[in-house]
Structure formats: structure tokens, C-alpha cells
């Protein structure tokens, strides 16, 4: 051929990056001071650690863990929406005048062991943790000075849950620690009064939201601020731009903190270090801006509940598929677990997390620190997704191909990591470069194929132009090494 395979691949990558307009690159230089407006805030480069981390654990834990029924929206579903299922649940199980506040004394967390949680998250392969410091019911998991009698130190556990978990995460692991914070509270009188005044006053923000946000950042140093409850008021009411500017300019975590996109209605998918867009967001196509897929192991609830059956839970295979398809498209995953009111994590959640950890231990090099490839999934063979190594090493480019469905019938697979028809790039994207016809990009001299977890086993493969035909090792060898859920091939091209 007239040019080397590496020259071709490098050209393809340059064209792809230019077309995708990825915005995560960082240029070192003097510290920038950001102005309290989106035009300025949106210029901040994404801290590199977040893009490389890929996998996080989400924890929805609070008073709603006591009834463990329906979802974490228990209070408003019961008292505000008067949902018949919730009303009947309370009528059957509690006295007529029982209040939601009485659940707090039963939120005991007597078995909560922050070190045990931290070690589980470490074993899961996650690289960061986000804890709900306060959900929409307003109950705080730290002794908030602005939530007297309605926090985890004054009532219930009589413990600072945020402090204990932050300390354990930092002592026992290398994971980053973050906090979820709900901007609004269903029944807080300051909030409801602001709404009655058509949000022309901001007493709730001034006396509750902003003091608590500052308290959390200054006391617990979270490196993720995961905002929520943004949909009932604009960002100007929440003064979100002012707070984020302080985070980026003057907070003790200014160099490493990342924020999501829920800062007022209309900000989702538009502003923030990473976009959530919607719960369980997974578009399946490349996103130019860094994004995060926050999803629940219990398919319908973020908080722990007992009105579940086995089919309500994602399988370990489902979890791995969600990781692969998300990371291939420039996203991170934030995997939610709902602990019990006692402070324990149910065995079914633990099993899923440990299965994930075992898979990441073998396949993690294709996930952590990876970048999207030219193609996110195979254009010919279904259930095959791609990432690439972040940088070329010794002039070689490395592509990772994830096979989500094992080819049981044939034990063989055809994949097309360079696309269906490479001449499309020759004729359109690489106009003026003569690839020639003297050979194929994929050949025994330039290409190496390895199965992650079976690096010591020679993989049989053949190539024709841009088609790569792979023969899987004997299934008993694969099973003996504990390879399951998805199988990853490392394709290195010189």
C-alpha cells in the first residue's frame, strides 16, 4: 500500500476528533477566573480525573429507606399526590395520624459501617462515589445548621453519615467522593412561600440552599456536586451561576470539582461539566460533551424498597452492557444502590457490584482512561462496541472490541473495527491520499489480537481488507478464567 496502516488510522482519528468537536482537552496555563454566567462557566475544561474514571456508585439513602415502599418519592406520593397504593400501604401498616416525620426515628442505621461500604465500592471497580446528602424531603445526612431537628445527628442514626463515609472512602480507597444535593424540598415552608410569591423572592435560597451548599463544600470537600430538583425554578432563582463560579474560582476543591447539568429548568444537556440530561440517559450514539448515565440496579426505584421481585433488578450482564455502551459513546456510568434503613446493602446489590468488579479487573484497561473510537458500535455485526486506548504507544494504535453476546453456535465472529467500507474514507475523508492496493490494513505483520483475561492464549484470526475474523478460544478455557458477561478483544495495529 502507498501509506502505512498507522498513517491511515492517525488520519482517521484526526478527522473524527475534528468532526465530533470533543471539548474535554485541557491546556495548562494561568488560573482562569470564571464569571457567574454560563458563557464563562461553560469554558472551563473538564478535570481529567472524571473522564478517566468512567464508573461511579450512587447512593440514595434517607428517611424514605424506612417505609421501603414504592420509591424515594414516598412522602409526596403519599401526602401530595395521594397515590392510592401509598395511601393504602399507610392505612394497613400505621396508625391513622402517623406522619412522615415519625419515620425519622426509625431511620436507625445501627448496622451502618462506612468502612465496609468503602471496601465494597473499591472491590466493585468504581472510581468515585456520590452520596445523597439531602433528597427532596429535606432530611440531611449531616448536622446541617439550617435543618434543625431534621438531620441524621439530631434524630435517627445520631451520626454524621456524610462525614463517616467521606472519611472511610478517603482512608480505605483511592475513590473520589461526591455529594448529591436537592435544590428544592417538597414541603419546606420557605420554598412553598417563594412559590406563592411567583419566585420573585428567594428566601429559600438565601436561608437554606446556599448556606447548606457552602457548608457541604467547605466541611466535606466533595469533588462531585450532583445537583437535582432543578425543574421547578430557573437557574437565576437558584443563583446557580454564582455558586458554580465560586466552586470553580475560590472553593477548596476548585481544581478538581465537577458539576452536572441540573441547575434550573432549561439547563439540562446545556450547562455543567458533564450532562445527565435525564435519568437513565443512554443515547447509544457519540456525544460531543462529556455525559453521565445515572441508572438504578432496581429498575424503577432509586431508594431501597421491599415491594420488589427478582425481575425488577438488572442482571450483572445488563450492568456490563450499560457500562460498555455508555463508555463507547463518551459517557460515564453512575450505578445506584439503595441501602436499607439499618445501614446495610442488600446481597443482591452486593452481588451485582462484585460481579462488575471482577469483570473490570480483567477488562478495565478497555474502560478506564479510554476514548471513543471512530465507530461506537460495529456497523455489520450486532452487539459489538468499541473504545480505543487514549494515546498511541510506540506508533501503534489500540482498539478494544467488546462482544456482548457470545457466538455459541459457531465460536467465531466477524467484526469490522475500521467500518464496513474503508474506501469511503479514502474517497471522501482522505481525498488526495492514495491508499494504494498493495495490501490490507489488517494483516499478520501489522496487527495483533489478544483477548483480555487470556493474554497468554494465542487467538486465531484472519483478515480480509477491513473484516477481522476471530475464533474464540475453547469455551472451557474462557469459563475457567472467569470471563463472563462481555468479552473484550484488544486489537493493536502498527
Amino acid at each position: 500500500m502507498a501509506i502505512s496502516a498507522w498513517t491511515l488510522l492517525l488520519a482517521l482519528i484526526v478527522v473524527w476528533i475534528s468532526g465530533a468537536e470533543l471539548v474535554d482537552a485541557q491546556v495548562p496555563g494561568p488560573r482562569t477566573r470564571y464569571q457567574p454566567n454560563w458563557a464563562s462557566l461553560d469554558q472551563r475544561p473538564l478535570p481529567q480525573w472524571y473522564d478517566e474514571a468512567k464508573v461511579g456508585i450512587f447512593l440514595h439513602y434517607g428517611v424514605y429507606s424506612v417505609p421501603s415502599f414504592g420509591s424515594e418519592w414516598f412522602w409526596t406520593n403519599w401526602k401530595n399526590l395521594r397515590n392510592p397504593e401509598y395511601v393504602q400501604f399507610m392505612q394497613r401498616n400505621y396508625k391513622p395520624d402517623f406522619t412522615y416525620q415519625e419515620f425519622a426515628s426509625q431511620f436507625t442505621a445501627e448496622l451502618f459501617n462506612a468502612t465496609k461500604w468503602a471496601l465494597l465500592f473499591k472491590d466493585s471497580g468504581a472510581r468515585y462515589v456520590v452520596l445523597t446528602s439531602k433528597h427532596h424531603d429535606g432530611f440531611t445526612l449531616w448536622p446541617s445548621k439550617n435543618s434543625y431537628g431534621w438531620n441524621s445527628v439530631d434524630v435517627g442514626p445520631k451520626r454524621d453519615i456524610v462525614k463517616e463515609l467521606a472519611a472511610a472512602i478517603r482512608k480505605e480507597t483511592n475513590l473520589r467522593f461526591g455529594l448529591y444535593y436537592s435544590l428544592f424540598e417538597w414541603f419546606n415552608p420557605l420554598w412553598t412561600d417563594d412559590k406563592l410569591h411567583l419566585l420573585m423572592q428567594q428566601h429559600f435560597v438565601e436561608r437554606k440552599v446556599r448556606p447548606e451548599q457552602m457548608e457541604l463544600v467547605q466541611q466535606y470537600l466533595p469533588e462531585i456536586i450532583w445537583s437535582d430538583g432543578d425543574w421547578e425554578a430557573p437557574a437565576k432563582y437558584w443563583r446557580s451561576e454564582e455558586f458554580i463560579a465560586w466552586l470553580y474560582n475560590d472553593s477548596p476543591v476548585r481544581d478538581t470539582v465537577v458539576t452536572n447539568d441540573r441547575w434550573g429548568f432549561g439547563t439540562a444537556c446545556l450547562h455543567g461539566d458533564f450532562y445527565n440530561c435525564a435519568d437513565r440517559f443512554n443515547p447509544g450514539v457519540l456525544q460531543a460533551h462529556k455525559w453521565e448515565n445515572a441508572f438504578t440496579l432496581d429498575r424503577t426505584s432509586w431508594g431501597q424498597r421491599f415491594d420488589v421481585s427478582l425481575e425488577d433488578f438488572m442482571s450483572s450482564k445488563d450492568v456490563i452492557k450499560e457500562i460498555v455502551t455508555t463508555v463507547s459513546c463518551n459517557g460515564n456510568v453512575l450505578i445506584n444502590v439503595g441501602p436499607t434503613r439499618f445501614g446495610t446493602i442488600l446481597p443482591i446489590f452486593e452481588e451485582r457490584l462484585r460481579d462488575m468488579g471482577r469483570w473490570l479487573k480483567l477488562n478495565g484497561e478497555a474502560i478506564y482512561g479510554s476514548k471513543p473510537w471512530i465507530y461506537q458500535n460495529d456497523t455489520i455485526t450486532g452487539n459489538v462496541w468499541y473504545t480505543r486506548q487514549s494515546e498511541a504507544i510506540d506508533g501503534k494504535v489500540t482498539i478494544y472490541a467488546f462482544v456482548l453476546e457470545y457466538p455459541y453456535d459457531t465460536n467465531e465472529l466477524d467484526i469490522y473495527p475500521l467500518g464496513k467500507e474503508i474506501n469511503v474514507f479514502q474517497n471522501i475523508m482522505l481525498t488526495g491520499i492514495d491508499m494504494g492496493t498493495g495490501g490490507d490494513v489488517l494483516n499478520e505483520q501489522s496487527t495483533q489480537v489478544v483477548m483480555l483475561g487470556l493474554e497468554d492464549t494465542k487467538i486465531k484470526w484472519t483478515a480480509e481488507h477491513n473484516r477481522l475474523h476471530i475464533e474464540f478460544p475453547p469455551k472451557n478455557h474462557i469459563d475457567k478464567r472467569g470471563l463472563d458477561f462481555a468479552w473484550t478483544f484488544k486489537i493493536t495495529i502498527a
Side-chain angles (χ1 to χ4, degrees), residues 207-218:
R207 302 175 191 175
K208 188 69 161 62
V209 175
R210 186 51 40 79
E212 287 188 337
Q213 288 173 325
M214 302 291 285
E215 201 175 348
L216 284 172
V217 173
Q218 292 172 334

Side-chain angles (χ1 to χ4, degrees), residues 468-482:
L468 188 61
H469 180 82
I470 298 176
E471 181 178 330
F472 280 63
K475 189 65 166 64
N476 60 318
H477 292 178
I478 293 175
D479 292 345
K480 186 177 181 180
R481 296 292 180 91

Side-chain angles (χ1 to χ4, degrees), residues 164-443:
E164 290 187 38
L165 185 60
I169 291 291
R170 288 164 176 152
K171 179 181 178 182
E172 303 293 341
T173 78
N174 293 320
L175 278 67
R176 307 277 182 156
F177 180 73
L179 291 172
Y180 164 110
Y181 181 84
S182 172
L183 295 172
F184 92 117
E185 300 171 18
W186 289 308
F187 302 105
N188 189 301
L190 289 172
W191 164 244
T192 56
D193 187 57
D194 279 2
K195 285 205 297 182
L196 285 174
H197 286 81
L198 304 179
L199 305 180
M200 299 302 291
Q201 64 185 31
Q202 297 170 304
H203 295 165
F204 180 62
V205 176
E206 295 164 354
R207 302 175 191 175
K208 188 69 161 62
V209 175
R210 186 51 40 79
E212 287 188 337
Q213 288 173 325
M214 302 291 285
E215 201 175 348
L216 284 172
V217 173
Q218 292 172 334
Q219 289 189 24
Y220 304 105
L221 307 178
E223 293 180 275
I224 307 109
I225 299 294
W226 213 98
S227 183
D228 196 19
D230 57 306
W231 53 84
E232 293 208 7
K236 293 298 182 184
Y237 168 80
W238 300 115
R239 298 182 183 174
S240 297
E241 292 155 297
E242 296 175 14
F243 176 65
I244 297 172
W246 174 79
L247 271 180
Y248 292 172
N249 292 327
D250 301 310
S251 78
V253 290
R254 61 183 178 269
D255 293 326
T256 56
V257 70
V258 293
T259 64
N260 66 340
D261 58 352
R262 301 185 181 186
W263 295 100
F265 59 66
T267 63
C269 268
L270 289 176
H271 305 294
D273 292 308
F274 61 92
Y275 296 164
N276 292 118
C277 298
D279 292 348
R280 305 175 181 87
F281 178 70
N282 187 357
V285 294
L286 181 65
Q287 302 295 298
H289 193 283
K290 189 66 187 181
W291 61 285
E292 183 182 72
N293 174 9
F295 65 92
T296 56
L297 293 181
D298 171 353
R299 296 180 190 275
T300 61
S301 176
W302 299 85
Q304 186 268 331
R305 63 190 180 105
F306 285 121
D307 55 322
V308 288
S309 60
L310 184 60
E311 64 185 13
D312 292 318
F313 294 96
M314 294 181 70
S315 68
S316 296
K317 185 177 180 65
D318 292 334
V319 174
I320 300 306
K321 179 180 179 180
E322 206 70 23
I323 293 172
V324 168
T325 56
T326 298
V327 172
S328 293
C329 296
N330 197 35
N332 282 17
V333 290
L334 187 61
I335 303 167
N336 182 76
V337 171
T340 70
R341 69 181 180 90
F342 307 107
T344 57
I345 293 175
L346 293 177
I348 193 166
F349 290 138
E350 181 179 352
E351 179 190 49
R352 301 299 188 262
L353 295 183
R354 292 196 183 280
D355 283 349
M356 179 178 80
R358 282 189 287 271
W359 187 86
L360 285 168
K361 188 173 183 179
L362 294 171
N363 299 275
E365 75 166 82
I367 297 293
Y368 305 123
S370 69
K371 298 291 184 183
W373 177 231
I374 301 167
Y375 303 102
Q376 283 60 68
N377 57 323
D378 200 272
T379 56
I380 304 297
T381 304
N383 294 305
V384 176
W385 293 74
Y386 297 106
T387 61
R388 67 175 173 90
Q389 210 167 64
S390 60
E391 296 179 359
I393 300 176
D394 297 328
K396 301 176 181 179
V397 64
T398 297
I399 310 164
Y400 298 98
F402 302 93
V403 180
L404 298 183
E405 295 294 337
Y406 194 90
Y408 287 103
D409 292 337
T410 63
N411 220 49
E412 300 175 358
L413 193 71
D414 287 338
I415 62 175
Y416 297 78
L418 303 181
K420 178 181 178 181
E421 191 56 64
I422 201 168
N423 287 330
V424 170
F425 291 96
Q426 174 192 357
N427 297 334
I428 298 176
M429 287 189 170
L430 301 178
T431 301
I433 299 179
D434 179 15
M435 289 173 55
T437 57
D440 292 324
V441 174
L442 302 172
N443 58 64

